[in-house]
Amino acid sequence: MTLDHSSQKKTPFYDIHLSKKAKIVDFIGWAMPVQYSGIIEEVNYTRQKATIFDVSHMGEILVEGEGAEKFLQRVLSNDITKIGLSKAQYTLLCNYDGGVIDDLLVYKLADNKFWLVVNASNKDKDFEWLVKEKNEKEVEIKDESDLYGQIALQGPSAKNILKELLKDKGVGRELLDDLGYFEFIGAELFRSNSKVIISRTGYTGEDGFEIYMPWEEGVEAWIKLEKLGEKYDLKPAGLGARDVLRLEASLPLYGHELSEEFSPLEAGLTPFVRLNTSFIGKEALEKQKEEGLNRKLIGFVMDGRRVPRQGYELCLDDNKVGEVTSGSFSPTLEKPIGMGYVTSEVALVGGEIEVKIRKSHEKAKIVKTPFYRRG
Amino acid sequence: MVRTRPDLSYTKEHEWVKVEDGKAYVGITYYAQEQLGDIVFVELPEVDDDFSRDEEVCVVESVKAVADIYAPISGTIEEVNEKLLDNPEIVNSDPYGEGWLFMMSISDEGELNDLLTAEEYEKILEEEGEG
């Protein structure tokens, strides 16, 4: 007998996950693999070799038309005019108070054609916001989430595995060497006349790629990648490892470090907030910048072995100064690590704080982030 | 690995109890460690501390979760498995053996009758959809 996932949405890879005995959990309505062999092993594999993740639950929203760039410049915090063709950009969708509705990647597919890759948990909210805010003419917004499956191939061997796949398809292997971080290519990878997008992006702190393919080509893509990856020791990894990897790389996660309660400035995302452009939320953020930030996001490492968790209090001399937003045992550092918001005067690298874990106050030290940077 | 052992007793909170020479050894079940995933920290109780049945005794933490461990019976902690302080992963690899958590005296023999047999515990797992 297996768990009943009949009411949940399934990605193209659901049967593959089952056949590999992945532990499946409900992730905002999706039946997703949280782990295969174990989170620690999967994290180590990603850092040392390569792993393949199913991230098909992510949403894709197409924005196209003559007014597309103008519209996106007005709703997104980064400067969209700085994205070249076939490049991607990290950006934030803010509300009028400067709170974060979502963080996302914009792909510039053509001059008037952009793809927003958004968090699964926020996809419907984003789509509704975009439609509501659209007043430019000639902008079409389409939710394409159900058309595309997505695989993340991450780790030091990712490029070599992908090269084999491209070689097989007669696509120049050198393309990948020339492909910069946050750049992408379109290729006919699995079926003819079917475009697949390969971008040099990811959420693990490793070199890696995200591959978007038509939903119905997903299984072919996964099987092919796994087969070519055999000699590189490619293994599947689940959302559990993905969360630990992104925390080690200090990448914010919506619902943890980001929400409508926090501003991108407090989250330390200033480089992605272009106050010289005009966008929704700008006035609130400018004001916040002028007045100074009350709280800031920090990273900390624990002294002991106890693991900080979201919602635990951060204290200084027994007084609450903030709250943990994410925490985990880091297999790479072999220590518990966490991120959280604290009052600005406390947010100094090298500072000692405490994490309240049940009745005890466990020592932690504020450190420079990211916790892990690939060498 | 075996999911349940017929010679042990169980609680519906996924602890196991093994009575030996009038003392009770306690650990978490195969199912519990599997649900938790990689265990990275075990907080052990203090020797000589008294607990009533269902009272929280200690905590087992994995990479992604925290589990409270409850006293399956009333009694006093007589010994703890200190090996777990440096090697908490033993709970994953050998939950019914080297991964035991603590040993306690039995203050009320009658409470042992309220524990579940392996068969009854298996039924609970099936009801949870893990049969």
Side-chain angles (χ1 to χ4, degrees):
Chain A
M1 192 176 140
T2 52
L3 283 168
D4 180 16
H5 297 296
S6 56
S7 62
Q8 294 163 338
K9 288 191 274 184
K10 293 173 188 70
T11 77
F13 312 112
Y14 176 73
D15 289 335
I16 296 178
H17 304 321
L18 284 189
S19 73
K20 291 180 180 299
K21 303 209 181 322
K23 191 199 277 182
I24 307 283
V25 295
D26 177 87
F27 185 77
I28 43 148
W30 289 87
M32 297 299 289
V34 65
Q35 67 168 57
Y36 298 81
S37 56
I39 292 177
I40 293 178
E41 190 178 307
E42 290 164 31
V43 167
N44 291 336
Y45 257 94
T46 313
R47 295 268 177 253
Q48 289 152 20
K49 294 172 179 186
T51 50
I52 180 173
F53 297 83
D54 175 5
V55 284
S56 306
H57 59 308
M58 300 285 290
E60 292 90 14
I61 298 173
L62 181 75
V63 179
E64 79 179 313
E66 289 290 328
E69 187 178 87
K70 199 173 158 223
F71 167 62
L72 290 175
Q73 186 75 308
R74 191 166 57 76
V75 291
L76 299 172
S77 69
N78 210 334
D79 187 351
I80 202 157
T81 62
K82 299 281 189 252
I83 323 178
L85 263 188
S86 298
K87 288 190 176 150
Q89 184 191 63
Y90 179 74
T91 189
L92 300 144
L93 182 66
C94 291
N95 62 26
Y96 286 88
D97 300 327
V100 180
I101 296 171
D102 203 2
D103 64 329
L104 54 106
L105 288 184
V106 186
Y107 285 68
K108 186 167 180 174
L109 303 175
D111 276 338
N112 297 317
K113 194 172 173 184
F114 299 87
W115 225 27
L116 312 185
V117 178
V118 305
N119 284 297
S121 53
N122 292 334
K123 192 258 291 171
D124 293 339
K125 179 179 79 164
D126 295 351
F127 186 75
E128 282 162 25
W129 176 270
L130 292 170
V131 169
K132 180 172 74 75
E133 287 299 330
K134 181 183 85 96
N135 53 29
E136 285 81 359
K137 283 184 185 140
E138 291 184 67
V139 180
E140 204 183 340
I141 306 171
K142 269 190 263 179
D143 181 357
E144 296 196 329
S145 305
D146 292 341
L147 303 181
Y148 294 91
Q150 189 188 346
I151 288 173
L153 177 65
Q154 300 279 302
S157 305
K159 188 167 81 175
N160 288 332
I161 295 167
L162 208 49
K163 273 187 172 180
E164 302 233 0
L165 183 68
L166 292 179
K167 179 179 72 182
D168 212 43
K169 288 288 159 188
V171 183
R173 302 174 52 158
E174 66 284 355
L175 255 181
L176 283 189
D177 290 319
D178 296 338
L179 193 67
Y181 194 47
F182 272 62
E183 290 183 357
F184 65 90
I185 48 169
E188 281 181 20
L189 269 195
F190 308 107
R191 295 181 192 176
S192 55
N193 294 320
S194 160
K195 283 271 186 209
V196 164
I197 287 175
I198 302 171
S199 65
R200 199 162 201 167
T201 50
Y203 196 47
T204 60
E206 292 304 320
D207 186 18
F209 302 85
E210 291 177 305
I211 307 162
Y212 302 85
M213 75 288 298
W215 200 259
E216 61 279 7
E217 291 174 35
V219 173
E220 259 169 279
W222 184 287
I223 291 170
K224 189 107 202 184
L225 271 172
E226 277 217 318
K227 189 155 192 324
L228 291 170
E230 265 171 21
K231 64 178 171 190
Y232 298 95
D233 236 350
L234 177 69
K235 291 219 171 12
L239 295 184
R242 184 173 155 90
D243 188 40
V244 175
L245 289 157
R246 71 93 197 164
L247 176 59
E248 288 185 341
S250 301
L251 299 167
L253 174 61
Y254 202 88
H256 290 256
E257 288 72 36
L258 299 175
S259 76
E260 300 203 28
E261 305 300 310
F262 300 123
S263 89
L265 304 179
E266 293 170 327
L269 299 175
T270 315
F272 310 101
V273 180
R274 294 304 169 118
L275 295 172
N276 59 335
T277 69
S278 185
F279 64 93
I280 294 172
K282 180 192 166 181
E283 286 73 22
L285 293 173
E286 260 179 341
K287 185 162 173 265
Q288 198 176 68
K289 195 182 167 192
E290 275 166 31
E291 290 174 356
L293 303 173
N294 293 327
R295 57 187 175 189
K296 282 179 185 166
L297 185 67
I298 52 139
F300 61 88
V301 173
M302 304 287 295
D303 261 9
R305 295 191 63 133
R306 305 207 67 166
V307 184
R309 315 274 174 187
Q310 183 175 27
Y312 284 8
E313 284 183 13
L314 291 168
C315 300
L316 186 66
D317 303 325
D318 287 351
N319 299 313
K320 185 180 173 184
V321 290
E323 216 167 83
V324 177
T325 50
S326 291
S328 177
F329 176 79
S330 160
T332 309
L333 275 69
E334 296 183 327
K335 284 175 192 159
I337 58 171
M339 290 199 280
Y341 283 98
V342 292
T343 50
S344 293
E345 59 273 21
V346 175
L348 297 171
V349 169
E352 306 269 346
I353 49 167
E354 303 125 37
V355 184
K356 192 177 172 197
I357 303 183
R358 284 147 199 277
K359 287 161 221 152
S360 71
H361 285 239
E362 304 277 329
K363 279 187 184 162
K365 190 174 177 187
I366 300 176
V367 296
K368 200 168 175 287
T369 52
F371 300 102
Y372 165 84
R373 197 189 292 274
R374 101 180 101 104
Chain B
M1 205 187 295
V2 289
R3 205 171 61 171
T4 52
R5 280 186 13 188
D7 56 322
L8 305 176
S9 302
Y10 301 85
T11 68
K12 58 182 191 319
E13 283 82 27
H14 310 290
E15 286 118 11
W16 58 260
V17 180
K18 181 182 172 190
V19 179
E20 221 173 65
D21 302 326
K23 309 284 180 196
Y25 284 82
V26 179
I28 63 169
T29 65
Y30 176 79
Y31 172 77
Q33 66 78 29
E34 201 185 31
Q35 287 299 305
L36 280 166
D38 297 316
I39 290 166
V40 293
F41 177 80
V42 178
E43 175 202 70
L44 294 168
E46 299 278 331
V47 170
D48 292 338
D49 274 2
D50 298 323
F51 292 96
S52 325
R53 179 164 64 173
D54 299 333
E55 207 181 332
E56 192 188 311
V57 176
C58 63
V59 174
V60 174
E61 295 198 18
S62 70
V63 175
K64 292 316 294 173
V66 192
D68 295 324
I69 310 301
Y70 301 97
I73 53 165
S74 310
T76 306
I77 304 293
E78 301 221 335
E79 197 184 334
V80 295
N81 186 1
E82 285 183 359
K83 257 195 274 179
L84 302 180
L85 296 176
D86 289 327
N87 303 97
E89 65 281 358
I90 300 173
V91 179
N92 287 123
S93 58
D94 193 8
Y96 295 128
E98 294 295 311
W100 64 279
L101 300 176
F102 53 86
M103 186 263 274
M104 64 197 299
S105 66
I106 303 168
S107 42
D108 179 358
E109 295 268 346
E111 286 179 355
L112 293 173
N113 298 327
D114 299 333
L115 295 171
L116 306 168
T117 64
E119 214 175 21
E120 288 163 339
Y121 177 62
E122 284 273 357
K123 262 195 198 131
I124 285 182
L125 294 184
E126 271 172 37
E127 279 160 20
E128 289 198 8
E130 286 294 322

